[in-house]
Amino acid sequence: MIFYRQNLTDSQLLDLYKKILKPRMIEEKMLILIRQGKVSKWFSGIGQEAISVGITAALNEFEYILPMHRNLGVFTARNIPLHRLFSQWQGKESGFTKGRDRSFHFGTQKYNIIGMISHLGPQLGIADGIALANNLKKNNKVTAVFTGEGATSEGDFHEALNIAAVWKLPVMFVIENNGYGLSTPTNEQYACENLADKGIGYGIESWIIDGNNIVEIFNKTTELKADMQKNPRPVLLEFKTFRMRGHEEASGTKYVPEELQKLWAVKDPVDNFRMFLLNEGVLQEDYDAELREQIKQEIEDNLLLSNAEPEIIPTYSGELDDVYKPFNYEEIKSESSSENIRFIDAISTSLKQSMERHQNLVLMGQDIAEYGGAFKITEGFVDLFGKDRIRNTPICESAVVSAAMGLSINGYKAIVEMQFADFVSTGFNPIVNLLAKSHYRWGENADVVVRMPCGGGTQAGPFHSQTNEAWFTKTPGLKVVYPAFPYDAKGLLNTAINDPNPVLFFEHKQLYRSIYQDVPTDYYTIPFGKAALIKEGSAVTIIAFGAPVHWALETLAKNPEIDADLIDLRTLQPLDTETIFASVKKTGKAIIYQEDTMFGGIASDISALIMENCFEYLDAPVKRVASLDTPIPFTKALEDQFLAKNRFEEVLLELISY
């Protein structure tokens, strides 16, 4: 292995040596602790430390870096106290996840490190969002994100590269090609000769670098960083390296041919760099021994600190209180005159006024810029706020949601418009596994709203008509809002944008242009978790949200003799159980009305809650009315039969006469 030091001073070379030696010695200690049963799991980076250390050394401490689960050198090169890392791996309180996640599945804003989730790909999109925020701030910073050769097959990899190329984002996409995705060799992972070739299709500059040569890595990434600051753009870096241990320690390396292990053993990045420094006279044997003893003692001292820390004592409040970032709701009441507007106008006005109120708010979605979106909600916004903040996106929902998370991490608010709620399925993973879990896992909130045009009644068929709120109401960490009236739509969307937690905001598209209401012209907010009592009565409680609120009103208008409480939930998570229970205890009968299909819908949970909390007040079984348990069809006759609308009156009358 040849090291070209170029302009590196002796001091710089020694600094790199210290940085690469420390993670190697920590790993060697971890292997001992694993055999002793003191660490439960370990993802070894032995053999590929040069990449983590070289890139981290090339970036400054204020630039974000997004590592993987075998990039210990990133964390140590950023000088994170070792006892905190040890406590993280042992599930102690002073770790970064309070025992809620293991290994390197965490981030820390203090050190500008954003860790992975096990699904790998979403962090590439996060890097896009972080870099976009840097571009908007014009702060000249570069972001580096790591992935393995196996994850380059994931759709998120390709989506993130495409977004970065189109938006000219200064991201270093770092591929650690260590030959195996767990046990699957590269010839079963991809057919191109080099993974760097994948950059060509996206118009991205690509480089192949010796992943075991720390000097080459540091020099090349330092050079690239300087050029990316002058000419912002993404680069794809493929580092050829090898993982000397198993995917994780328990899996072993029996699947690796012995000759391959021997070939890469002689390319050890630490040993070879050490010999180079000795030969150059930069490092002396006695100083090397002294340095190793210092690191060894640092490891032992910090292990003592971590071992002395007590085990976590779980509490219900401790767990539940960390699911969401605390939100200090600010009630803003309107003092303006009102204007009779449509539901769609209320959404548009909320977005416009929120863009004015929050200068760090960015809207992203397909066709939302000059075209104004599929429903023309953002028409004219580019003229008002510019294309930096009103951003057309490629058709890649997963990476866009992840980029929204990156914007949030780097100080922005983000709204993602799903062209139709149905399309959220291709962005499902980062919503339920990234946005929803980040605050609980390591205290990082996701200041993201996902707008969801949804619902049937327009003969749009199976892929443009779903109302899929139940996919998200059961996911801790998400808030779910579903207004039925223009007034509520505007006030609740304002609150959703203010809330630092991820919010799924459902907008029934059949209501967009059919429902009018007097709505204040200025800005106001409505709190989450407060249902609206639309009508009051004593015979039955009707619980609905979205379009079924209007369908219920039609039924009650047709049957004026029915004396009913009609509750419009408005928000599904949090759910206003207080209003529900008070009404049911008054009327003794409850019917829950949803447009979603029956099985697994939120009506089932509300029914169970009523049974558990109001059983002794009930005079009849709790009833649910929902759409058929089929995909939603296109033809009008079939759609009419599918929707819950045509069955509600019959079930309601049966319940009243029970």
Side-chain angles (χ1 to χ4, degrees), residues 59 101 128 188 220 260 274 292 426 440 638 647:
L59 270 60
D101 214 334
D128 283 349
E188 296 180 27
K220 189 61 185 177
L260 192 59
R274 175 179 178 274
R292 289 170 183 267
T426 56
Y440 171 78
L638 293 175
R647 288 180 292 281

Side-chain angles (χ1 to χ4, degrees), residues 213-511:
N213 188 323
I214 191 169
V215 174
E216 181 182 345
I217 293 167
F218 177 75
N219 282 333
K220 189 61 185 177
T221 51
T222 299
E223 172 194 328
L224 283 170
K225 175 190 164 180
D227 198 49
M228 291 166 70
Q229 289 175 313
K230 296 175 186 174
N231 176 25
R233 69 194 187 281
V235 296
L236 180 64
L237 308 175
E238 180 184 2
F239 292 90
K240 304 285 190 179
T241 186
F242 194 75
R243 166 169 48 82
M244 298 303 295
R245 309 294 298 184
H247 168 72
E248 44 93 15
E249 200 55 33
S251 65
T253 57
K254 289 184 178 179
Y255 50 85
V256 181
E258 186 177 349
E259 60 272 19
L260 192 59
Q261 285 276 17
K262 291 179 179 178
L263 173 68
W264 281 96
V266 300
K267 298 181 180 182
D268 185 285
V270 179
D271 292 346
N272 279 284
F273 189 42
R274 175 179 178 274
M275 290 307 301
F276 165 73
L277 295 178
L278 288 170
N279 292 336
E280 287 280 303
V282 174
L283 177 69
Q284 284 74 43
E285 293 280 5
D286 57 345
Y287 179 70
D288 185 36
E290 179 185 337
L291 182 60
R292 289 170 183 267
E293 184 59 35
Q294 288 174 1
I295 296 173
K296 179 182 177 183
Q297 192 60 50
E298 182 186 1
I299 292 170
E300 295 299 333
D301 290 346
N302 280 272
L303 276 171
L304 285 174
L305 286 173
S306 178
N307 292 337
E309 187 178 347
E311 298 296 324
I312 287 176
I313 299 175
T315 64
Y316 286 126
S317 61
E319 290 297 280
L320 294 171
D321 289 349
D322 277 352
V323 174
Y324 300 98
K325 180 175 181 176
F327 171 41
N328 296 318
Y329 167 72
E330 179 186 3
E331 183 174 9
I332 301 175
K333 294 184 177 180
S334 172
E335 296 180 357
S336 71
S337 59
S338 294
E339 182 181 5
N340 192 255
I341 60 173
R342 302 168 299 176
F343 191 106
I344 196 168
D345 303 321
I347 297 291
S348 183
T349 302
S350 168
L351 292 174
K352 191 178 300 180
Q353 292 177 351
S354 292
M355 289 290 289
E356 293 166 350
R357 186 178 180 85
H358 302 286
Q359 294 300 308
N360 65 338
L361 177 59
V362 176
L363 273 57
M364 301 187 291
Q366 295 159 26
D367 305 299
I368 69 165
E370 290 85 353
Y371 187 72
F375 299 98
K376 302 298 183 182
I377 287 175
T378 54
E379 191 168 23
F381 276 38
V382 169
D383 294 335
L384 292 172
F385 306 110
K387 291 203 70 172
D388 277 349
R389 296 179 64 200
I390 311 297
R391 305 188 73 89
N392 281 336
T393 68
I395 302 176
C396 50
E397 285 82 2
S398 188
V400 172
V401 172
S402 298
M405 179 68 185
L407 282 167
S408 175
I409 285 169
N410 205 0
Y412 280 75
K413 289 178 172 287
I415 297 178
V416 176
E417 177 186 300
M418 293 292 156
Q419 198 167 72
F420 292 88
D422 314 66
F423 298 167
V424 77
S425 56
T426 56
F428 189 75
N429 174 41
I431 291 176
V432 301
N433 287 310
L434 180 61
L435 304 188
K437 295 178 172 63
S438 289
H439 190 266
Y440 171 78
R441 287 172 53 245
W442 58 279
E444 180 64 29
N445 65 293
D447 200 342
V448 178
V449 176
V450 182
R451 289 186 43 242
M452 302 276 283
C454 65
T458 60
Q459 292 183 254
F463 304 120
H464 298 77
S465 307
Q466 295 177 85
T467 174
N468 44 10
E469 67 279 350
W471 294 1
F472 305 102
T473 51
K474 65 96 57 222
T475 302
L478 299 177
K479 297 186 179 182
V480 181
V481 181
Y482 204 142
F485 293 93
Y487 177 84
D488 293 338
K490 181 178 177 181
L492 289 169
L493 183 53
N494 288 336
T495 301
I497 295 166
N498 294 337
D499 195 317
N501 296 285
V503 180
L504 278 293
F505 195 90
F506 285 82
E507 305 163 11
H508 200 292
K509 58 185 188 291
Q510 194 180 41
L511 305 182

